[in-house]
Amino acid sequence: MNSKIIIEKKIKNKILAYNEIKYMIDSYINNNISDKTMTLFIKAIYNSGLSFNETLFLTDIMIKSGKVEDLSFVEKVTVDKHSTGGVGDKTSLIVLPICASLNIAVPKMSGRSLGTTGGTVDKLESIPGFKSELSHKEFVNIINTVGCVDICQTKDIAVADKKIYSLRDKTGYVDSIPLIASSIMSKKIACSSENIVIDLKVGKGAFMKNIKDATKLAKLMIKIGKYYNRKVICVLTDMNIPLGNNIGNKLEVKEVINFFNGIYDKRLYELIVCLSSYMVSISKKISFNYSKKLVLKSLKIGSSKNKFYEWIKYQGGDISKLKIEAKRIEVMSEKSGYIKSIDASKIGYLSSKLIGFKVKDLNTGIILRKRIGDFVEKGEVIASIYYNKEVDNMISILKDSFKYSDTKPKEKNIILKIIK
Ligand code: URA
């Protein structure tokens, strides 16, 4: 086989056979073709797309490029949760203990931050002592005693996706529906949970900018899931504005603690209840409404809060030692009016600069002090920046992300669509 001929075929929008896709992927992971050649292949897929069968082939080849987890030791029904990545997204830290408190096992692997979106592993590692790498024995013990565990995605899961994703990230070929579907599903299938709930973010701070494309992606992932005998539900959620009030690793853990103590942002609460209710519903095969009752009860009586503390302790974390070590500067509104929007992409950009890329500062980030629909007077504090190194124009970027109106804007629902 010849990579040039395969790439030409895809450029001409011809259908590729399993062996042709496999040849390209295997050659790339074995370093037999260069980043440059692989980029041409990815670009051809980006421009011409993939048929369903080709997407399935790519997913299958990526699953088989690594290890498939054996979860036969897990004593309870299993569910996994995935987020396509957002700004201020701390939902995993809350939905995992909710499900575990309701006797459902969530053996999760998470990633680190990508682009301007945060990563669950970084957030968890900001808790002093938290171990995101565990031995198999520790993993088994935690999942069977606590009910939820979250570790850094191991190197041997979907090996090809790891290398190709990093190349797509560098070359700007991320937002292709078949590439995203095969990337996410190869990891989720390899992690082996029976049920999967995907929080598919839509908007300025997300890879999917509109509901139409997000719907296509959701349907494709559900179809791939069906092929592998997995039940998949996609919840399309708004990511035009950051999720919750805190953005940044330790700051987000603080928001999670507040959440379990009954202090929360309304949109974050709605999303948590929706995602965890679907996770409970597909796992226990009961109605959404009944699942929601169980979730609300777990939050009300504090069993999910207790589960959260138990889980963090089992993975070595000590919440009592969580301290924000950063300078703080308040950002004031330059005008009076109702807050109409807070741009998630600008906030994501600023927080990723505050945190850093190679060496991350887990203390830094942003707290939004005002939300959409709030009335502010000129000079009122709208946000706080936590920093250790100043970022160029940080105050003006933050101010620019807030837009105002004279009339109170209508509330927008965070849940946009459910696709099953
Ligand atoms: N998340 C993934 O895991 N893969 C993608 O391609 C995009 C988002």
Side-chain angles (χ1 to χ4, degrees):
M1 258 184 249
N2 177 311
S3 57
K4 224 173 147 189
I5 295 174
I6 297 172
I7 295 168
E8 281 297 319
K9 214 171 151 182
K10 194 72 253 173
I11 290 174
K12 290 184 186 145
N13 206 1
K14 298 232 170 87
I15 300 287
L16 300 180
Y18 188 95
N19 280 345
E20 290 172 313
I21 301 178
K22 185 165 163 47
Y23 175 81
M24 292 302 295
I25 306 296
D26 285 354
S27 304
Y28 187 54
I29 51 177
N30 293 323
N31 298 320
N32 292 330
I33 58 171
S34 64
D35 279 356
K36 204 171 155 195
T37 307
M38 195 59 185
T39 303
L40 292 175
F41 184 57
I42 295 294
K43 186 179 169 191
I45 294 177
Y46 188 88
N47 291 329
S48 305
L50 290 177
S51 68
F52 175 66
N53 274 347
E54 287 175 302
T55 312
L56 208 50
F57 295 160
L58 178 59
T59 311
D60 198 64
I61 293 158
M62 295 209 288
I63 294 171
K64 290 176 181 156
S65 69
K67 180 180 150 196
V68 174
E69 282 301 319
D70 173 13
L71 291 183
S72 56
F73 60 83
V74 182
E75 290 151 7
K76 297 170 188 163
V77 60
T78 52
V79 66
D80 200 350
K81 178 245 167 202
H82 183 81
S83 159
T84 55
V87 180
D89 187 359
K90 65 280 294 170
T91 52
S92 289
L93 275 66
I94 307 173
V95 299
L96 264 62
I98 293 177
C99 290
S101 77
L102 295 169
N103 258 321
I104 298 163
V106 201
K108 186 160 163 47
M109 286 192 193
S110 293
R112 297 184 187 281
S113 60
L114 260 180
T116 56
T117 64
T120 300
V121 169
D122 296 324
K123 295 172 203 204
L124 286 167
E125 282 181 353
S126 76
I127 304 169
F130 189 92
K131 274 168 54 185
S132 62
E133 283 174 28
L134 300 174
S135 68
H136 184 67
K137 203 171 152 200
E138 287 170 316
F139 188 87
V140 173
N141 176 38
I142 299 177
I143 196 69
N144 281 335
T145 46
V146 181
C148 61
V149 63
D150 200 345
I151 58 168
C152 186
Q153 189 183 315
T154 53
K155 282 190 198 77
D156 45 9
I157 290 284
V159 174
D161 174 64
K162 214 174 185 115
K163 194 165 176 194
I164 294 167
Y165 189 91
S166 152
L167 185 68
R168 285 168 56 213
D169 197 27
K170 270 189 248 157
T171 52
Y173 295 115
V174 174
D175 54 345
S176 141
I177 291 174
L179 289 177
I180 297 179
S182 52
S183 163
I184 293 175
M185 291 311 288
S186 63
K187 287 177 286 220
K188 293 289 116 180
I189 304 290
C191 285
S192 295
S193 282
E194 299 146 82
N195 305 289
I196 303 162
V197 172
I198 299 175
D199 178 4
L200 213 169
K201 308 282 190 198
V202 188
K204 284 183 184 159
F207 294 125
M208 289 292 109
K209 304 291 178 209
N210 60 65
I211 297 186
K212 195 170 157 223
D213 286 344
T215 302
K216 268 194 213 160
L217 174 61
K219 287 187 175 164
L220 187 53
M221 291 194 289
I222 291 168
K223 213 166 157 191
I224 297 172
K226 212 173 242 169
Y227 178 84
Y228 287 97
N229 215 9
R230 303 297 204 285
K231 180 92 189 92
V232 181
I233 294 183
C234 291
V235 182
L236 272 50
T237 67
D238 179 72
M239 190 26 83
N240 283 303
I241 52 176
L243 184 59
N245 298 321
N246 297 14
I247 301 103
N249 298 286
K250 283 188 188 174
L251 293 172
E252 291 188 42
V253 176
K254 289 258 181 203
E255 190 172 8
V256 168
I257 296 165
N258 286 343
F259 186 96
F260 284 121
N261 287 326
I263 305 159
Y264 44 71
D265 168 70
K266 203 172 138 227
R267 283 166 62 89
L268 175 63
Y269 181 81
E270 273 170 31
L271 179 61
I272 293 292
V273 171
C274 178
L275 290 175
S276 42
S277 300
Y278 276 114
M279 288 167 81
V280 173
S281 170
I282 48 169
S283 307
K284 288 186 183 272
K285 298 188 173 58
I286 54 174
S287 73
F288 175 81
N289 285 342
Y290 186 53
S291 306
K292 189 171 167 185
K293 273 190 191 150
L294 297 177
V295 166
L296 294 178
K297 188 171 172 201
S298 164
L299 284 170
K300 191 168 173 213
I301 64 175
S303 41
S304 39
K305 173 180 167 177
N306 294 340
K307 195 51 91 177
F308 170 74
Y309 281 97
E310 184 190 3
W311 161 42
I312 298 300
K313 197 167 149 210
Y314 263 77
Q315 281 198 239
D318 185 349
I319 297 272
S320 68
K321 295 207 173 113
L322 187 83
K323 288 196 180 61
I324 313 287
E325 288 165 280
K327 289 175 263 186
R328 171 173 149 182
I329 189 164
E330 308 294 13
V331 180
M332 264 77 86
S333 170
E334 282 189 343
K335 45 179 119 168
S336 301
Y338 288 99
I339 298 186
K340 191 170 81 178
S341 63
I342 305 171
D343 189 320
S345 66
K346 287 190 179 136
I347 297 285
Y349 168 80
L350 178 58
S351 59
S352 62
K353 288 275 179 197
L354 289 164
I355 294 161
F357 296 100
K358 276 200 182 131
V359 181
K360 289 183 188 140
D361 186 340
L362 303 178
N363 295 284
T364 53
I366 298 159
I367 296 188
L368 304 170
R369 304 288 178 192
K370 298 287 175 190
R371 306 294 302 162
I372 310 280
D374 286 350
F375 184 83
V376 290
E377 295 287 357
K378 185 177 173 185
E380 242 189 284
V381 174
I382 49 172
S384 309
I385 298 177
Y386 288 78
Y387 68 102
N388 282 315
K389 261 195 230 146
E390 281 196 34
V391 169
D392 287 347
N393 306 317
M394 61 186 191
I395 295 178
S396 59
I397 296 171
L398 211 143
K399 280 184 178 171
D400 270 0
S401 65
F402 279 73
K403 295 281 172 273
Y404 301 81
S405 69
D406 295 335
T407 50
K408 194 173 164 76
K410 261 197 188 158
E411 264 186 46
K412 286 193 192 134
N413 208 334
I414 187 163
I415 313 294
L416 304 173
K417 199 169 173 182
I418 309 293
I419 305 180
K420 300 185 204 179

